[in-house]
Amino acid sequence: WMGYKRAMEMNGLPINKNMCIINNDCEIKDCKCSGYMGYNQFRERLSAMNKYPTAFVCVNDSVAIDIVRHFKERGINVPEDIAITGFDDIQESAVVSPSLTTVKCYKEEMGKRTGEEMLWRINNPSRPYEIVRIITEIVFRESASNTIIL
């Protein structure tokens, strides 16, 4: 959500929160929720929307697959009527129909770098903090084939 908000703001694009599904419950102090919603919660939020955006940018592929399923159950065609994108490129994203446009992140490399940084921090506690970025790549598939990426 934060990355999406930042990208929209950096490009001068407005965010219509009425077309965003975020778990507001997790903004409550001392909330113990995981931050993710189950399929039934998504279905309720989607059903309550008066109008859909032209695309959903989902927090991960599992959520995106659930949203594709919801639209299929209602006769809404992906990507013809609405585009869906995920994030993390799980195996299911390539075999679901339509196959899911997603962002491949290198989880194994992220884990290795995290371990390396932890060990480095233990041995260098007074050194300045660093930000490490691991490259990602867009995997274009069927669920967003009509979407123009700028």
Side-chain angles (χ1 to χ4, degrees):
W1 171 245
M2 297 305 293
Y4 172 79
K5 274 179 40 176
R6 188 172 39 246
M8 294 292 282
E9 290 166 357
M10 286 173 51
N11 288 286
L13 299 170
I15 296 174
N16 182 345
K17 284 199 176 180
N18 294 325
M19 293 195 177
C20 297
I21 299 175
I22 54 175
N23 194 346
N24 294 327
D25 298 337
C26 288
E27 294 177 14
I28 299 170
K29 187 178 182 194
D30 299 325
C31 176
K32 303 288 188 242
C33 69
S34 68
Y36 295 104
M37 291 182 256
Y39 178 66
N40 288 332
Q41 290 172 297
F42 274 110
R43 191 172 62 203
E44 288 173 19
R45 298 272 184 99
L46 288 166
S47 296
M49 295 176 100
N50 295 328
K51 182 181 174 186
Y52 296 121
T54 57
F56 274 98
V57 177
C58 301
V59 67
N60 61 41
D61 288 349
S62 295
V63 168
I65 290 168
D66 282 347
I67 291 177
V68 168
R69 184 172 77 176
H70 171 83
F71 286 128
K72 281 175 117 174
E73 289 171 357
R74 276 141 194 83
I76 298 170
N77 298 311
V78 176
E80 294 84 357
D81 300 327
I82 191 164
I84 312 284
T85 66
F87 187 92
D88 63 12
D89 197 29
I90 60 174
Q91 285 184 323
E92 293 86 350
S93 65
V95 296
V96 69
S97 180
S99 58
L100 190 63
T101 294
T102 186
V103 175
K104 180 177 183 63
C105 58
Y106 297 90
K107 296 177 207 145
E108 195 170 304
E109 185 62 27
M110 290 167 54
K112 287 177 186 176
R113 287 295 291 132
T114 299
E116 291 168 0
E117 280 297 306
M118 287 173 46
L119 292 172
W120 185 85
R121 175 59 50 204
I122 289 168
N123 293 320
N124 300 281
S126 62
R127 297 289 304 271
Y129 287 97
E130 299 177 343
I131 296 173
V132 176
R133 296 185 177 164
I134 307 291
I135 196 163
T136 59
E137 66 181 86
I138 299 173
V139 180
F140 291 98
R141 295 195 183 110
E142 297 167 337
S143 70
S145 63
N146 292 339
T147 305
I148 298 172
I149 307 289
L150 301 177

